[in-house]
Amino acid sequence: MSLLRKIKETADFLKAKGMDAPEFGLILGSGLGELADEVENAIVMDYADIPNWGQSTVVGHAGKLVYGDLAGRKVLALQGRFHFYEGNPMEVVTFPVRVMKALGCTGVLVTNAAGGIGYGPGTLMAISDHINMTGQNPLIGENLDEFGPRFPDMSDAYTAQYRQVAHRVAEDLGIKLDTGVYLGVTGPCYETPAEILAYKGMGAHAVGMSTVPEVIVAAHSGLKVLGISAITNFAAGFQSELNHEEVVEVTQQIKGDFKRLLKAILAEL
Ligand code: HPA
């Protein structure tokens, strides 16, 4: 089946389940999926029950699609995303963003855990731009003209207006929100210290294994984007060792502020 047919089939399926006309898509990264538990009047679907949908495998990702009301907005939240390093094709990694667009979302809020280059554990960072070091591009293949152009402009992939709202809201809440460039790799290994030094020189402030493919697809289809990184560790070479347990642990510590911030932002977008 063509990608376009799959998108339509899945969107129709979700609509028939009552997941109609969401305003915002939420992509919740490692350990940040709890926000979806706060959705009211929720309709919840296991990924396994959704046609054409991928399956999520990594620790800390639940694998549920949650639709309903959050902070007075209609949201469609991914509790657990698909990573390229799990062996998912880019089409699967970015499929939920396509479906969000097809269902009528105008914006997506994309979150992740990331290693900090300069920034340290516990920092929340609004993503101002990204560098694609995955060596991949999710738009390779036949262009979906219904969604966007063959050669989409990425100059404003991260919507300045959303970021302004995020900073204003963070200040009101007394939550520190930094800004920076997210550099996306495929993983699953963490970077070498030499890679991180190179990325620093390229202008990156955070490095992670997600987000870039989803944002490319979002920008292609004209979706507005807010990206927020939760920095869980200093990137390789700036601390003695890296492990997933620390990423999960630090995420647990930041998630209170993270949830408060995201809800307050949603209410204001
Ligand atoms: N590198 C890549 N991805 C990450 C990191 C990191 O240091 N921390 C959390 N996700």
Side-chain angles (χ1 to χ4, degrees), residues 18-226:
M19 297 186 171
D20 198 16
E23 301 173 76
F24 296 100
L26 303 186
I27 302 181
L28 302 170
S30 290
L32 303 170
E34 263 183 33
L35 187 60
D37 297 336
E38 298 189 22
V39 171
E40 292 163 21
N41 309 312
I43 304 173
V44 182
M45 301 246 10
D46 282 336
Y47 286 174
D49 298 329
I50 307 173
N52 309 313
W53 210 258
Q55 304 304 321
S56 123
T57 60
V58 80
V59 181
H61 293 256
K64 284 184 165 48
L65 185 65
V66 182
Y67 168 93
D69 302 308
L70 189 63
R73 316 309 294 260
K74 279 266 176 279
V75 301
L76 186 65
L78 286 192
Q79 206 171 27
R81 60 147 61 83
F82 307 116
H83 297 91
F84 189 67
Y85 64 71
E86 293 169 280
N88 297 301
M90 279 295 176
E91 183 180 309
V92 170
V93 172
T94 57
F95 191 75
V97 179
R98 299 288 198 193
V99 171
M100 285 167 177
K101 175 71 182 181
L103 286 172
C105 287
T106 55
V108 290
L109 278 59
V110 187
T111 69
N112 57 60
I117 305 176
Y119 293 133
T123 305
L124 290 174
M125 186 189 92
I127 304 175
S128 56
D129 204 345
H130 77 217
I131 299 172
N132 180 7
M133 286 297 286
T134 66
Q136 307 287 326
N137 195 298
L139 301 178
I140 289 173
E142 193 187 339
N143 186 55
L144 299 186
D145 296 330
E146 294 85 344
F147 282 75
R150 172 76 292 187
F151 302 108
D153 183 9
M154 293 293 291
S155 304
D156 298 308
Y158 296 82
T159 309
Q161 170 224 342
Y162 278 16
R163 213 156 54 245
Q164 280 160 14
V165 171
H167 284 294
R168 177 164 46 82
V169 166
E171 203 174 316
D172 289 349
L173 293 177
I175 294 172
K176 190 161 166 14
L177 180 65
D178 284 296
T179 307
V181 173
Y182 176 93
L183 184 143
V185 294
T186 64
C189 61
Y190 292 111
E191 303 68 39
T192 64
E195 284 166 346
I196 293 300
L197 273 187
Y199 297 160
K200 187 174 185 216
M202 291 166 74
H205 303 100
V207 57
M209 305 174 192
S210 65
T211 301
V212 162
E214 293 132 322
V215 171
I216 290 173
V217 165
H220 174 250
S221 64
L223 281 163
K224 293 182 177 177
V225 172
L226 177 69

